[in-house]
């Protein structure tokens, strides 16, 4: 560019650009990002406006909190509960590229996913400043400013989504919102906090260190906290804990968490540098001598500020009682996780967490404003009480809600509807169907897809798993705690089971058969039968149990070997989709008056541990048949919901046959990427970069044997295959030569369509 000379002027204005879209999404955290990607893939034009230089919000390299949701680090009873759809795609990709959990790599994945969508206009470093309305209940446009390019943007659309965290669009548009906790009597929530506990969750700033291999000194800034004993729990600090493990360096719950963010940030910096000064210079941590302070967050990670009022406000009872909603569009499962408002300066524990017995549904009515007809709510401003917010606020849950909003916006655009118009039947069923097509898990629903040609096919397979045995080829597991094998069984007499045990001294082993009081839950709160078996000393003994129980309907049961220090049970190296072993970790024992249930936690071990218990089953379990690949559910719930090949099948195939030729343009396949695994996005070393259950190599052949599609290195859950030209055939055969971990190949879902 050549020389620019302009004469003096009385006043100038910033360069202004107008952008027209079908949906404007303000906020590029995981909720806003998943919303924008979903809407763009559904065919509408999206403007995604993010006031930071990267996407991801609290998951980004600017904050560095791991992404979690219903799986809760595998610490509760929510089996196979990881969120599906776009957030699953992102987390599985992050595992593949970034098992070490580098937040910068996650930044690149999020940016790549958004930039791949031609229907998205991405505006980074751009802050929404002003809202214009065409009517009292309608937003016409949003003005946003980018300080990096000194440009003002005028963003026009019929629909808007506020995923900004603090609800800047909803606030400026005048939508009803709340800050702080509702009193106990408003919704009858027993866990509603009192004034002593406080009504808001605060912010956190993390820090990271590295060992440079030589002594490093640290001179604290003048503003660092000078007396570490002002932090009642200062004894919990050490030289090894850093990053998100110090989530409880929290402050601001007694302040305005919107307008006081800057003083909150300064107080958190004061604490962080004071903590590091204590670790480096107190003399109590000689192991810190060679540690250097590598990174301190520049912006705080926010937990809570405004919550906006939708057509319905989720509350404690919806979570604990797992209430069913006709308009459910997403699921949650994190604990109700509240923190004392005094944060790091509180003498109380850093959090109080209470779980439900299983996952709960989040209704569509929580995702749009009750006041502004064209405003969707995504992210932590979701319509929920303070108590319910304690569970919904985690990022993977909010990402699933963001996907629901993105799909809803696409349907509203297509049919010229307002957000609330989708709430009632039959439109809500259409939204649920489109979400399940895109991989979303909708509790209590199966995909009933009238356009799916696979539903019209006869499905056969080269083999199917008949679960008669899990071979004895793993290390022994001493029953220092109670262990269980989780098995899917059908409505029939419970099969006989047997285990191989090593017995150190004469003892009596108690074996229990349990199930869940609610179908689809994995809390073993109902005991169906119990047997006591006398055992003499000796290794390699087989013990058999016949519970003589009639199973009422297809469901999962727990065969529990209760704790016995004299016994070790043999394990199996064989991993199979829909099976897991669990250990009794602890019990949830809440106070009597808070409306939360008492129950036991039985949870799996993380890989490479977590082997199944070696056992024989008579008669074999036959719930892995080929028709399960069209069950409409793409994860284990009350059944495995997957076709699984026999482990001895050297060439596993699934074949679809039609009575007459079909024109097939698109095929959808869903594989097992272990929805049990949380896939924490950052600061967490995963043992592998691909899930061992996942099919690595597949081919699809038509009736003539011609290969119409092949993938040799798949690692994703959901694969979409577009055939160009389309296949004209009365048969498709899906070959699954290999998985990543040598497990028997499995397929949760196959769908075929005549359109793209």
């Amino acid at each position: 560019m050549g020389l620019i000379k302009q004469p003096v002027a009385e006043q100038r204005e910033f360069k202004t650009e107008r952008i027209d879209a079908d949906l404007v999404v303000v906020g590029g955290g995981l909720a806003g990002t998943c919303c924008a990607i979903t809407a763009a893939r559904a065919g509408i034009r999206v403007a995604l406006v993010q006031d930071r230089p990267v996407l991801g919000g609290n998951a980004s390299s600017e904050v560095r909190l791991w992404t979690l949701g219903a799986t809760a680090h595998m610490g509760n009873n929510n089996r196979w509960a990881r969120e599906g759809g776009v957030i699953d795609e992102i987390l599985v990709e992050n595992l593949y590229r970034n098992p070490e959990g580098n937040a910068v790599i996650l930044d690149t994945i999020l940016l790549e996913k958004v930039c791949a969508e031609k229907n998205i206009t991405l505006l980074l470093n751009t802050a929404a400043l002003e809202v214009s309305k065409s009517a009292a209940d309608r937003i016409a446009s949003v003005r946003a400013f980018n300080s990096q390019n000194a440009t003002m943007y005028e963003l026009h659309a019929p629909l808007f989504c506020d995923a900004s965290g603090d609800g800047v669009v909803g606030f400026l548009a005048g939508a009803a919102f709340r800050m702080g906790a509702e009193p106990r009597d408003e919704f009858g929530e027993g866990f509603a906090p009192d004034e002593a506990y406080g009504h808001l969750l605060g912010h956190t700033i993390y820090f990271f260190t590295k060992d440079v291999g030589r002594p490093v000194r640290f001179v604290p800034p003048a503003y660092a906290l000078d007396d570490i004993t002002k932090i009642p729990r200062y004894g919990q600090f050490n030289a090894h804990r850093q990053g998100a493990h110090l989530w409880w360096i929290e402050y601001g719950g007694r302040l305005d968490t919107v307008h006081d963010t800057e003083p909150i940030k300064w107080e958190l910096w004061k604490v962080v540098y004071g903590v590091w000064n204590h670790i480096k210079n107190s003399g109590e941590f000689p192991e810190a001598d060679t540690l250097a302070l590598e990174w301190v967050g520049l912006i705080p990670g926010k937990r809570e500020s405004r919550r906006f009022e939708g057509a319905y406000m989720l509350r404690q009872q919806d979570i604990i009682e797992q209430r069913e909603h006709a308009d459910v569009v997403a699921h949650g499962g994190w604990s109700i996780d509240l923190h004392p408002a005094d944060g790091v300066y509180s003498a109380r524990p850093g959090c109080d967490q209470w779980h439900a017995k299983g996952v709960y549904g989040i209704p569509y009515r929580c995702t749009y404003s009750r006041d502004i007809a064209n405003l969707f709510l995504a992210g932590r401003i979701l319509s929920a009480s303070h108590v319910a917010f304690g569970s919904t606020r985690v990022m993977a849950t909010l990402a699933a809600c963001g996907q629901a909003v993105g799909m809803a916006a696409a349907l509203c655009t297509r049919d010229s509807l307002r957000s609330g118009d989708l709430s009632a039947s039959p439109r809500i069923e259409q939204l649920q169907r489109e979400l399940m097509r895109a991989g979303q898990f909708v509790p209590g629903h199966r995909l009933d897809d009238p356009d799916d040609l696979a539903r019209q096919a006869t499905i056969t397979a080269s083999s199917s798993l008949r679960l008669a045995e899990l071979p004895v080829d793993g290390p022994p597991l001493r029953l220092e705690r109670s262990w269980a094998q989780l098995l899917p069984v059908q409505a029939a007499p419970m099969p006989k089971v047997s285990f191989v045990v090593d017995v150190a001294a004469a003892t009596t082993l108690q074996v229990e058969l349990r199930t869940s009081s609610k179908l689809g839950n994995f809390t073993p709160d109902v005991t169906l039968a119990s047997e006591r078996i006398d055992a003499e000393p000796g290794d390699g003994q087989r013990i058999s149990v016949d519970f003589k129980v009639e199973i009422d309907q297809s469901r999962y049961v727990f065969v529990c070997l209760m704790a016995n220090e004299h016994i070790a049970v043999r394990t199996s190296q064989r991993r199979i989709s829909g099976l897991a072993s669990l250990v009794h970790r602890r019990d949830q024992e809440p106070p009597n008056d808070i409306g939360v249930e008492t129950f036991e936690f039985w949870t799996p071990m993380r890989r490479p541990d977590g082997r199944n218990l070696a056992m024989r089953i008579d008669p074999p379990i036959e719930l892995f048949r080929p028709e399960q690949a069209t069950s409409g559910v793409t994860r284990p719930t009350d059944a495995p919901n997957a076709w699984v090949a026999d482990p001895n099948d050297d060439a596993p195939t699934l074949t679809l046959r039609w009575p007459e030729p079909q024109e097939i343009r698109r095929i959808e396949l869903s594989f097992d990427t272990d929805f049990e695994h949380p896939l924490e996005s950052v600061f967490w070393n995963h043992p592998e970069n691909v899930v061992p259950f996942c099919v690595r190599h597949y081919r699809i052949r038509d009736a003539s044997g011609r290969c119409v599609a092949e993938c040799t290195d798949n690692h994703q859950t959901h694969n979409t295959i577009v055939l160009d030209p389309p296949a004209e055939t009365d048969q498709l055969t899906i070959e699954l030569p290999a998985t990543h971990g040598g497990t028997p190949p499995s397929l949760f879902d196959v769908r075929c369509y005549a359109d793209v």
Side-chain angles (χ1 to χ4, degrees):
M1 178 178 291
L3 174 67
I4 295 176
K5 277 186 76 174
Q6 290 191 357
V8 65
E10 180 179 347
Q11 187 174 337
R12 294 190 178 97
E13 294 184 354
F14 287 117
K15 175 185 174 183
T16 299
E17 290 187 15
R18 175 176 172 134
I19 294 176
D20 290 284
D22 299 309
L23 172 69
V24 171
V25 180
V26 175
L30 289 182
T33 298
C34 289
C35 173
I37 291 172
T38 301
R41 289 178 178 176
I44 68 173
R45 298 169 303 153
V46 181
L48 176 58
V49 183
Q50 165 72 325
D51 63 356
R52 307 302 307 168
V54 290
L55 298 168
N58 282 345
S60 74
S61 61
E62 290 195 309
V63 178
R64 306 192 182 189
L65 173 62
W66 49 55
T67 302
L68 271 182
T71 52
H73 291 303
M74 296 167 67
N76 61 16
N77 290 342
N78 298 341
R79 304 281 66 81
W80 296 290
R82 194 177 74 237
E83 294 71 18
V86 176
I87 188 59
D88 170 65
E89 178 185 330
I90 289 167
L91 292 177
V92 170
E93 191 64 30
N94 187 63
L95 176 73
Y96 181 67
R97 303 186 193 185
N98 184 32
E100 302 79 18
N102 183 331
V104 174
I105 302 301
L106 178 62
D107 287 348
T108 68
I109 292 170
L110 294 173
L111 288 166
E112 178 185 275
K113 291 289 183 186
V114 168
C115 292
E117 300 300 329
K118 65 181 185 303
N119 285 335
I120 296 179
T121 299
L122 174 62
L123 302 176
L124 296 174
N125 296 304
T126 304
L129 303 172
E130 183 181 329
V131 165
S132 296
K133 298 170 74 174
S134 58
D137 68 343
R138 293 190 74 88
I139 299 170
S141 66
V142 169
R143 296 186 82 210
F145 180 66
N146 185 322
S147 61
Q148 299 297 302
N149 63 9
T151 300
M152 189 75 72
Y153 293 95
E154 300 274 1
L155 302 155
H156 294 257
L159 296 170
F160 295 82
C161 172
D162 191 335
S164 65
D166 286 338
V168 60
V169 177
F171 176 81
L172 292 172
F177 71 90
R178 301 180 178 205
M179 286 185 72
E182 288 79 10
R184 178 178 289 202
D185 60 3
E186 180 170 359
F187 296 124
E189 297 173 308
F191 193 32
D194 57 21
E195 185 59 39
Y197 193 85
H199 293 171
L200 276 173
L201 282 69
H203 304 351
T204 289
I205 279 179
Y206 300 133
F207 69 89
F208 284 88
T209 66
K210 67 176 179 180
D211 193 329
V212 298
R214 57 178 175 76
V216 176
R217 70 182 187 127
F218 175 68
V219 179
Y223 53 81
L225 183 69
D226 59 359
D227 181 5
I228 199 68
T229 64
K230 292 179 180 178
I231 299 174
R233 287 169 278 147
Y234 76 91
Q236 297 181 27
F237 293 120
N238 60 57
H240 306 292
R241 295 183 71 81
Q242 57 179 313
H245 285 148
L246 292 175
W247 54 266
W248 55 274
I249 295 182
E250 178 177 353
Y251 181 74
R254 299 283 182 191
L255 302 175
D256 180 335
T257 52
V258 175
H259 299 106
D260 291 334
T261 290
E262 281 297 298
I264 291 171
K265 177 191 72 177
W266 277 98
E267 187 65 24
L268 288 167
W269 275 345
K270 174 181 174 181
V271 170
V272 165
Y273 288 109
V275 166
W276 187 240
N277 182 42
H278 169 65
I279 292 171
K280 285 291 289 185
N281 297 325
S282 67
E284 298 179 22
F285 306 97
E287 66 273 24
D289 187 45
T290 60
L291 294 181
L293 190 61
E294 181 181 31
W295 178 86
V296 175
L298 299 178
I299 61 171
K302 287 191 176 187
R303 288 183 176 85
E304 181 180 16
S305 56
R306 302 181 183 113
R307 293 172 289 108
F308 281 75
E309 296 184 7
Y312 181 77
M313 290 191 70
L314 202 72
R315 57 207 67 178
Q316 175 181 329
Q317 297 90 330
D318 292 307
I319 294 170
I320 297 301
E321 299 171 17
Q322 300 172 268
R323 290 181 175 177
E324 295 182 3
H325 298 274
D327 62 336
V328 58
V329 290
H331 78 282
W334 186 257
S335 65
I336 298 179
D337 179 9
L338 300 184
H339 299 189
D342 294 312
V344 72
Y345 293 121
S346 174
R348 299 172 183 262
C351 66
D352 288 277
Q353 296 182 326
W354 302 110
H355 294 259
K357 287 185 174 181
V359 300
Y360 59 89
I362 299 174
Y364 174 64
R365 286 164 294 152
C366 294
T367 68
Y368 59 89
S369 168
R370 67 175 177 85
D371 310 295
I372 307 298
N374 62 340
L375 177 62
F376 289 100
L377 309 172
R380 57 186 169 85
I381 70 169
L382 191 81
S383 180
S385 72
H386 171 76
V387 173
F389 164 87
S391 176
T392 62
R393 64 186 176 85
V394 290
M395 284 185 282
T397 301
L398 296 176
C401 294
Q403 174 142 5
V405 166
M407 191 64 74
L411 295 180
C412 286
T413 299
R414 187 190 68 185
D415 296 334
S416 300
L417 303 173
R418 298 177 302 175
S419 54
D421 293 338
L422 294 180
S423 294
S425 185
R427 288 187 174 124
I428 191 62
E429 288 86 1
Q430 183 182 22
L431 174 57
Q432 291 164 335
R433 182 167 59 249
E434 293 298 333
L435 286 168
M436 288 186 283
R437 280 175 167 173
Q440 185 97 312
F441 176 56
V442 180
H445 289 258
R446 294 179 179 270
L447 176 57
D448 183 10
D449 191 342
D451 299 325
D452 178 14
L453 299 173
R455 298 173 64 201
Q456 305 168 20
T458 300
I459 303 178
T460 58
S462 58
S463 69
S464 294
L465 172 68
R466 298 177 72 248
L467 185 60
E469 182 177 23
L470 292 167
V472 183
D473 57 3
L477 178 67
R478 188 157 299 281
L479 297 179
E480 296 171 348
R481 295 173 179 261
S482 299
W483 279 81
Q485 181 64 43
L486 191 57
L487 293 175
V489 293
Q490 56 197 26
M494 174 66 195
K496 300 173 185 177
V497 296
S498 66
F499 301 88
V500 175
V501 297
D502 300 336
V503 183
T507 187
T508 300
L509 174 64
Q510 183 167 331
V511 185
E512 297 183 358
L513 181 67
R514 298 190 186 185
T515 191
S516 295
S517 55
K518 179 180 172 63
L519 193 66
N521 275 4
F522 295 93
T523 294
D525 53 352
V526 174
T527 301
L528 299 174
S530 180
E531 297 286 338
R532 293 174 62 83
I533 300 172
D534 294 329
E536 296 298 322
D539 292 346
Q541 302 182 51
R542 183 166 292 278
I543 60 169
S544 299
V545 185
D546 183 358
F547 291 109
K548 293 183 169 60
V549 167
E550 188 81 18
I551 303 299
D552 61 342
Q553 62 187 116
S554 293
R555 60 168 63 239
Y556 272 89
V557 296
F558 301 69
V559 181
C560 307
L561 306 182
M562 307 309 286
N564 188 316
E565 62 181 3
H566 301 300
I567 291 183
V569 62
R570 299 288 182 89
T571 62
S572 180
Q573 301 281 16
R574 180 166 293 168
R575 301 185 188 275
I576 293 175
S577 296
L579 296 188
S581 64
L582 312 172
V583 61
H584 177 205
R585 297 274 191 189
R586 59 187 176 91
D587 295 351
Q588 175 168 281
E589 298 178 311
N592 291 329
D593 63 343
I594 67 167
V596 175
E597 295 178 274
T598 298
F599 58 89
E600 299 173 350
F601 287 95
W602 291 68
T603 63
M605 301 287 286
R606 282 178 177 263
R607 289 190 300 275
D609 296 321
R611 299 171 184 85
N612 290 307
L613 305 186
M615 62 190 304
R616 290 178 182 168
I617 303 158
D618 182 27
I621 294 170
E622 301 193 52
L623 287 172
F624 304 91
R625 295 183 292 267
E627 60 266 27
Q628 293 300 310
T630 55
S631 70
V633 182
T634 56
R635 65 182 63 210
T637 52
D638 53 352
N641 298 315
W643 166 62
V644 181
D646 186 282
N648 297 315
D649 188 345
D650 293 330
T653 60
L654 186 80
T655 300
L656 292 78
R657 293 184 178 90
W658 291 270
E660 55 188 33
Q662 308 291 315
E663 183 177 83
I664 299 171
R665 295 178 180 271
R666 177 166 53 97
I667 302 169
E668 306 281 353
L669 301 176
S670 291
F671 300 111
D672 185 2
T673 54
D674 191 9
F675 281 108
E676 187 66 79
H677 197 315
L679 297 185
E680 295 93 341
S681 56
V682 298
F683 191 47
W684 199 281
N685 285 312
H686 297 287
E688 63 233 347
N689 68 344
V690 288
V691 174
F693 298 97
C694 185
V695 168
R696 174 176 61 82
H697 183 191
Y698 65 83
R699 298 184 201 91
I700 304 176
R701 298 186 186 275
D702 64 13
S704 69
R706 180 175 65 95
C707 181
V708 298
E710 182 173 18
C711 179
T712 60
D713 192 22
N714 172 59
H715 58 272
Q716 274 289 348
T717 309
H718 191 81
N719 281 217
T720 298
I721 302 108
V722 176
L723 302 182
D724 185 15
E728 293 272 358
T729 184
D730 61 0
Q731 177 178 304
L732 285 179
T733 298
I734 303 168
E735 301 175 355
L736 305 179
T739 60
H740 282 282
T743 61
S746 61
L747 186 63
F748 278 112
D749 191 34
V750 54
R751 288 179 279 126
C752 303
Y753 297 95
D755 65 347
V756 175

